[in-house]
Amino acid sequence: SGQKVCYGEFKRSCYKLAYFQDLSRRVGFQEARQACEIDGGALLSLESEAEQQLIENMLQNLTKSGSGISDGDFWIGLWRSGDGLATSSACPDLYQWADGSISPFRNWYTDEPSCGSEACVVMYHQPTANPGLGGPYLYQWNDDRCNMKH
């Protein structure tokens, strides 16, 4: 389940946010990707700063709605395919959008992506975490292990 919000000004006119406080309902990257596809969509591809801001506003509205939303990152459709660990300086260029979009827009948190065994990307949403070197852990992107539950 999730909250569907529609706008007319972006290429994708509708977005669906799914947030589960119950940790047992959170899923890994491939499970999230499949759930979106079954629902007729795709994990989010962010193509511009304006679209990033739209999503941030949607998450802020969700937080203000009194739903009790707390820390919990959101999968987006950016990932790095291929076998083995990527450790070269070219690693950031290996990430691609799951839906085939070719947007070069990125919103990495400071010192991300860290690469290695982390190949799938989340949008941070940790309002209770103490800020790090890159500021609060809110809305910037972080690569994570694909089997993590978000």
Side-chain angles (χ1 to χ4, degrees):
S1 65
Q3 177 182 3
K4 188 174 181 179
V5 181
C6 297
Y7 298 92
E9 64 266 22
F10 290 94
K11 184 170 82 176
R12 288 171 295 280
S13 58
C14 293
Y15 300 86
K16 185 174 181 181
L17 296 176
Y19 174 78
F20 303 106
Q21 269 192 299
D22 180 355
L23 298 179
S24 70
R25 295 192 62 199
R26 295 183 184 182
V27 297
F29 180 84
Q30 293 299 347
E31 295 160 291
R33 186 176 178 181
Q34 289 170 350
C36 290
E37 290 171 357
I38 289 170
D39 207 25
L43 276 174
L44 179 63
S45 296
L46 291 145
E47 298 189 358
S48 67
E49 181 65 38
E51 191 172 23
Q52 171 76 28
Q53 187 61 54
L54 173 70
I55 299 303
E56 290 179 21
N57 291 341
M58 288 170 59
L59 291 173
Q60 289 166 4
N61 289 339
L62 183 65
T63 303
K64 290 177 192 169
S65 70
S67 64
I69 197 168
S70 58
D71 289 359
D73 300 333
F74 291 84
W75 287 119
I76 62 174
L78 193 64
W79 71 302
R80 178 172 42 83
S81 64
D83 296 323
L85 304 180
T87 55
S88 74
S89 61
C91 173
D93 298 329
L94 300 176
Y95 284 84
Q96 59 190 353
W97 293 108
D99 67 359
S101 299
I102 57 170
S103 169
F105 176 74
R106 300 292 186 266
N107 191 41
W108 295 113
Y109 189 78
T110 300
D111 295 334
E112 299 295 344
S114 51
C115 300
S117 62
E118 299 179 335
C120 296
V121 179
V122 295
M123 181 182 290
Y124 273 138
H125 189 268
Q126 299 176 22
T128 67
N130 290 326
L133 293 174
Y137 294 97
L138 283 173
Y139 316 123
Q140 306 92 346
W141 306 351
N142 172 49
D143 57 335
D144 203 351
R145 293 190 317 274
C146 298
N147 63 350
M148 294 298 290
K149 307 290 186 188
H150 295 293

